[in-house]
Amino acid sequence: MDRNQTPVYPGDFFDYSKGVPIEDEEVNEWIQEAVAELRERDDIRSITKATGNTRVEVRKVHEGGVDGHYIKVLVCRGYQLAYITHWR
């Protein structure tokens, strides 16, 4: 893949589905740690942790209105991922 090209699924993606399975208990620890850190720190907007076949992304979301601030938690097991190295 050319480094400026948009990746094409599935060929340009790395497949983590065969990675080491991560226990639910460990995933829950990642979530608890990330949520606590996001609540404590105003200088970060997201935390991602990944190993084996599992990726956890925890993000602060700011949308309009009083109820527009929340934390979103995404757990992906057996995911695929690609990078665009030069996006400008």
Side-chain angles (χ1 to χ4, degrees):
M1 179 177 80
D2 181 296
R3 67 183 190 182
N4 294 315
Q5 181 180 346
T6 301
V8 176
Y9 185 82
D12 294 333
F13 285 70
F14 186 83
D15 184 359
Y16 289 88
S17 65
K18 297 195 181 8
V20 175
I22 305 303
E23 297 293 327
D24 292 344
E25 182 177 301
E26 186 170 359
V27 171
N28 282 307
E29 288 175 13
W30 296 354
I31 294 167
Q32 290 173 5
E33 291 168 3
V35 167
E37 187 167 358
L38 286 176
R39 285 182 170 156
E40 291 173 10
R41 296 184 52 186
D42 291 332
D43 62 322
I44 57 174
R45 298 276 183 236
S46 67
I47 296 172
T48 300
K49 183 155 186 176
T51 192
N53 73 343
T54 304
R55 180 180 183 93
V56 173
E57 297 180 7
V58 184
R59 319 179 166 261
K60 291 179 184 172
V61 177
H62 301 281
E63 296 177 349
V66 175
D67 295 331
H69 299 333
Y70 56 93
I71 293 176
K72 177 172 74 171
V73 179
L74 175 66
V75 177
C76 304
R77 288 220 162 107
Y79 63 100
Q80 293 85 35
L81 181 66
Y83 291 98
I84 301 172
T85 57
H86 293 82
W87 54 275
R88 291 186 174 190

